[in-house]
Amino acid sequence: MKGDIRRDRQQDDRPAHSPAEFRDDARAVSPIPVLLEDNHVLGVVKPVNIPVQEDASGDLDMLTLLKRDLKIRHDKPGNVFLGLVHRLDRPVGGAMVFAKTSKGASRLSDAVRTHSIRKTYAAVTNGVPREREGRLVHYLLKDERSNTVTAVTKGTPGAKEAILDYSVLADDGRRALVRVELHTGRSHQIRVQMSSLGCPLYGDQKYGASQTKPGEQIALWSVRLRFPHPITKESTLLISMPPAAAPWTQWSGSVYKMLREELEHGE
């Protein structure tokens, strides 16, 4: 889109780090790739298997790593502010945006609430959707104790409406490469809705266990964020293509070239 501020990285230069690769060392600079940084915004590529904030696992998290990195790179004294305005599930990687100021955090949080942040994902599914494109509408209920989400009937107490659009970019008869546009931001939304369609995500140990082998990495990637810059209001675009690793690599570069063009120039 004309006027966008855009930052991206090529498909094959995105390392997927594991928790063991992040040293708990105050002198260590984060290896997390930076897509965009100014005084108010920090756009990065989240590695897979890293929590976005501190959790019960005790593993290093995105907020801690990025604050440490900012403190070292900018030689900041004292505590570093970094606002978490949206989330990705721990096993999911790709584009994320953080706020470096309280003003930026407030305005980006407002953008999330008003759906002014547009989120696009790529996913690999086990099974090929019968329709090549469509809109999925479900009502999702989360069990906080088990951290699982279930699709339930409309009107179920506590259930929230979840809406996404999907389109099949390519398939081999057994699996499909799918583009997903989120219209709501429910917990585990894409994973549960695609599983409810009969096409669970490759590697999803929670919602596709019957079709997943132990150790497989979930194939879900945040490929694009489009949002109004919290200060300038300019349309800002972050693009992060999926890593050059299985199962993503079963499709040719021409498929990803087409996807990149859609991400750069489409809505």
Side-chain angles (χ1 to χ4, degrees):
M1 179 180 292
K2 186 176 180 180
D4 280 337
I5 301 173
R6 182 168 63 83
R7 297 291 187 276
D8 60 18
R9 295 172 64 86
Q10 297 301 314
Q11 180 185 355
D12 58 359
D13 69 349
R14 280 175 195 79
H17 299 283
S18 66
E21 294 178 74
F22 293 93
R23 294 183 295 141
D24 191 7
D25 180 347
R27 297 165 298 173
V29 176
S30 168
I32 295 172
V34 174
L35 300 177
L36 169 67
E37 183 177 5
D38 61 23
N39 289 336
H40 297 275
V41 170
L42 178 65
V44 301
V45 178
K46 176 191 175 295
V48 299
N49 300 327
I50 304 296
V52 296
Q53 62 186 134
E54 185 178 1
D55 62 15
S57 71
D59 293 335
L60 283 172
D61 60 277
M62 291 289 289
L63 276 175
T64 298
L65 288 163
L66 291 171
K67 285 180 180 180
R68 179 180 300 169
D69 178 58
L70 290 170
K71 186 177 181 67
I72 294 171
R73 285 195 294 111
H74 299 295
D75 195 23
K76 286 181 172 288
N79 295 328
V80 173
F81 177 87
L82 194 65
L84 178 66
V85 297
H86 71 112
R87 289 171 170 78
L88 290 178
D89 292 344
R90 178 174 179 142
V92 179
M96 284 193 74
V97 62
F98 293 81
K100 292 176 63 179
T101 62
S102 57
K103 179 184 289 187
S106 176
R107 292 181 179 178
L108 285 174
S109 294
D110 286 342
V112 171
R113 284 193 292 271
T114 59
H115 305 293
S116 299
I117 294 184
R118 301 283 297 278
K119 302 175 183 178
T120 306
Y121 293 78
V124 177
T125 61
N126 281 321
V128 180
R130 185 172 303 173
E131 302 293 334
R132 302 297 289 184
E133 59 183 33
R135 171 165 290 190
L136 302 183
V137 180
H138 292 91
Y139 292 84
L140 304 184
L141 183 65
K142 184 172 184 178
D143 184 333
E144 297 289 350
R145 291 174 298 177
S146 63
N147 192 32
T148 57
V149 177
T150 306
V152 296
T153 57
K154 183 178 180 179
T156 299
K160 297 180 179 180
E161 186 179 45
I163 305 171
L164 64 77
D165 292 332
Y166 76 88
S167 58
V168 176
L169 301 174
D171 75 88
D172 64 2
R174 298 182 305 113
R175 295 179 183 140
L177 176 64
V178 179
R179 170 178 167 167
V180 177
E181 301 284 343
L182 277 186
H183 296 288
T184 53
R186 309 306 181 197
S187 182
H188 300 180
Q189 179 178 338
I190 297 172
R191 299 164 66 184
V192 176
Q193 288 196 271
M194 295 308 294
S195 181
S196 298
L197 189 64
C199 298
L201 302 191
Y202 174 97
D204 193 340
Q205 309 287 339
K206 185 168 287 190
Y207 301 106
S210 64
Q211 300 182 48
T212 299
K213 297 178 181 179
E216 286 182 339
Q217 177 65 47
I218 191 171
L220 180 60
W221 198 264
S222 171
V223 292
R224 183 177 71 175
L225 288 177
R226 187 194 299 278
F227 57 92
H229 190 280
I231 305 303
T232 68
K233 308 302 182 185
E234 290 182 272
S235 178
T236 305
L237 185 65
L238 303 180
I239 293 177
S240 170
M241 297 297 286
W248 304 101
T249 49
Q250 71 185 82
W251 287 283
S252 68
S254 61
V255 173
Y256 291 104
K257 180 180 179 181
M258 176 186 69
L259 173 59
R260 175 178 285 278
E261 290 175 351
E262 290 180 359
L263 296 173
E264 290 178 344
H265 304 296
E267 288 297 322

